[in-house]
Amino acid sequence: METGFVHHQSAHCENGVASNLLKYHGINISEPMVFGIGSGLFFFYLPLLKVNHAPAISYRPMPGFIFNKAAKRLGIKVKRVKFSNPQSAQKALEENLKNNIPSGLQVGVYNLTYFPDEYRFHFNAHNLVVYGKKDDTFLISDPVMETVTTLTEKELEKVRFAKGALAPKGQMYYPVNIPTDLDWETAIKKGIKNTCNDMLAPVPIVGVAAMRFLARSIRKWPVKKGVKVANHYLAQMVRMQEEIGTGGGGFRFIYAAFLQEAAVILKNDSLKELSTEMTTIGDLWRDFAVNAARVYKNRSNQTDVYNSLADELVHISNLEEAFFKKLKKAI
C-alpha cells in the first residue's frame, strides 16, 4: 500500500504535516501560510505545571490547534480520531492507506528510532504522516527530516500510544472535505487578528505578559531553587524554544515569511515592513537562546547572569508588544 504522497521538509512538524497533506489534495499552501492562518505564534507560561521537571513554557498553541484553525478558516473539514487500543488504531490507518489517504499522526518523540538520541525525550506532541506500508513496515514522512523514513508496526504502535502528558492515544487526522474556492484574504486576516489578540492578551500567563512573568521568575530561580535547578529550567526552556518546539527565533522567521506572502495577497505593503521587523525580533530570540545556553553549560552561579537574561526577555517582550499593536492596525 503506497499513496502518491510527496515529502517536503519543513521547520516545524505540525505546519509541515498540514502543508504536505493539503498539497496532496491539490492546495498549494506553504508552511508559513499554514502557520499564519492557523495562528501558530503563541506564548504561554504556567510555573505550577511541570514538563520534564521544569515549568511549562510553550511557544505554540495546543497540538492540533494550528491545523484545525487554518482548515476552519479556509473552509476545509479535517477528521480527527483517537483510539482506545493499538489494534483498532492500526486497522483504521491501514484502511486509510488502502483508500489512498495519507494520514497525519500525533506521536511521542522518545521512541522515534530515526531521531538522534539527543532529540529523543518525553514529548508527545510531535506530528508526522504515514503515506504507505510495505510488509510490516510503515512509510513515514516526518516533515522535520530531510528525506522519508520508516517505522515497523511495533515501533509505530509505541509512539502512537506513548504515555504521559499530551498522550496521543493513537490520534490520526486527515482532510475529508475541501471546497473548490478558498477565501485566502479572509482566512489571513482572521489568523492575524487571532495572533495579535493572543499575544496582547491581558492575562499574565499568555503572550507578552507571560514573557514578562517568565523574566521575573528567571531573576528568582537561582535564589529560590538553587543554581542547578535554575540551569535545568533554562535548559528545558531553550530545548522547547529552539530544538523541539522551534518556537523562539524559528517561529518568528516562519511568521515573517507568512507576512511576506500575506502582503502580496492582501496588497498591503505595511506587512512587508512588519515582516522585516519580525525577522529582527527572531534574531534576538536566537541571541537569548545562545546566552541562556552559555549560562547552563558553564553552571555560572552569578545572579547577574540571570538578571541579564531576564532583561533580554523583557526587551523582546516590549518589541513584540509594539509589533503586534502595529500589525493589528495594519489589517
Side-chain angles (χ1 to χ4, degrees):
M1 296 178 288
E2 185 171 356
T3 60
F5 183 85
V6 178
H7 173 83
H8 299 273
Q9 189 177 19
S10 66
H12 183 257
C13 63
E14 187 175 342
N15 307 325
V17 166
S19 173
N20 285 344
L21 286 178
L22 292 177
K23 282 177 179 174
Y24 176 80
H25 289 278
I27 300 174
N28 187 23
I29 184 170
S30 68
E31 176 189 7
M33 189 58 65
V34 168
F35 183 69
I37 293 176
S39 302
L41 199 66
F42 192 68
F43 193 86
F44 171 84
Y45 172 56
L46 187 60
L48 295 178
L49 178 64
K50 294 294 189 289
V51 179
N52 290 314
H53 310 289
I57 302 169
S58 179
Y59 301 82
R60 51 152 298 160
M62 287 290 287
F65 277 31
I66 297 174
F67 193 8
N68 283 352
K69 284 184 176 181
K72 185 178 180 181
R73 288 165 183 163
L74 288 168
I76 298 165
K77 186 176 180 182
V78 175
K79 184 173 183 179
R80 286 185 180 270
V81 194
K82 291 185 178 181
F83 301 90
S84 58
N85 62 77
Q87 293 75 28
S88 57
Q90 181 170 319
K91 183 179 178 183
L93 176 58
E94 291 190 352
E95 193 64 32
N96 269 9
L97 297 177
K98 286 177 185 175
N99 292 318
N100 292 316
I101 302 173
S103 301
L105 302 181
Q106 182 183 326
V107 300
V109 167
Y110 188 76
N111 289 299
L112 281 178
T113 52
Y114 55 81
F115 262 28
D117 288 344
E118 58 268 26
Y119 288 98
R120 291 169 63 180
F121 74 110
H122 295 287
F123 176 69
N124 292 330
H126 190 61
N127 293 267
L128 52 79
V129 174
V130 178
Y131 67 93
K133 187 181 183 187
K134 290 182 179 178
D135 300 321
D136 70 340
T137 301
F138 284 100
L139 308 180
I140 308 295
S141 166
D142 188 320
V144 302
M145 304 298 288
E146 188 174 351
T147 59
V148 293
T149 185
T150 60
L151 289 170
T152 65
E153 289 179 359
K154 290 289 185 184
E155 288 169 343
L156 186 60
E157 177 183 312
K158 205 167 187 178
V159 296
R160 291 185 77 183
F161 286 87
K163 306 296 183 185
L166 301 174
K169 299 179 181 177
Q171 183 171 172
M172 178 173 77
Y173 56 93
Y174 48 97
V176 291
N177 189 6
I178 299 174
T180 51
D181 294 316
L182 302 177
D183 186 348
W184 293 98
E185 290 189 16
T186 300
I188 288 169
K189 288 178 180 178
K190 283 183 177 178
I192 291 175
K193 286 177 182 176
N194 188 173
T195 299
C196 291
N197 290 338
D198 284 344
M199 295 304 291
L200 299 171
V203 290
I205 62 171
V206 174
V208 296
M211 293 178 197
R212 290 163 186 159
F213 183 15
L214 176 56
R216 292 194 296 272
S217 297
I218 290 173
R219 297 184 200 279
K220 298 173 185 175
W221 284 346
V223 176
K224 292 182 69 175
K225 302 292 183 180
V227 171
K228 185 176 180 181
V229 172
N231 286 344
H232 171 69
Y233 287 1
L234 285 177
Q236 174 65 6
M237 181 180 177
V238 172
R239 175 183 272 175
M240 295 306 297
Q241 179 181 317
E242 299 296 343
E243 294 179 4
I244 297 296
T246 64
F251 269 12
R252 271 72 191 168
F253 301 142
I254 296 171
Y255 202 75
F258 159 68
L259 291 176
Q260 284 186 336
E261 288 191 51
V264 175
I265 295 171
L266 299 181
K267 300 179 177 63
N268 186 335
D269 288 338
S270 296
L271 299 184
K272 286 183 183 177
E273 296 170 14
L274 288 167
S275 169
T276 302
E277 191 172 325
M278 180 49 81
T279 301
T280 301
I281 293 172
D283 289 336
L284 293 176
W285 274 107
R286 283 276 153 87
D287 292 343
F288 173 85
V290 170
N291 292 333
R294 285 179 180 142
V295 172
Y296 66 73
K297 286 180 178 178
N298 293 334
R299 299 292 186 262
S300 171
N301 60 3
Q302 297 297 314
T303 54
D304 281 350
V305 175
Y306 300 94
N307 284 327
S308 178
L309 286 175
D311 290 343
E312 281 187 65
L313 193 54
V314 170
H315 178 56
I316 291 171
S317 74
N318 291 338
L319 292 177
E320 293 214 350
E321 181 178 29
F323 171 86
F324 286 109
K325 285 179 177 177
K326 285 186 279 188
L327 180 59
K328 199 170 184 178
K329 285 182 181 178
I331 58 159

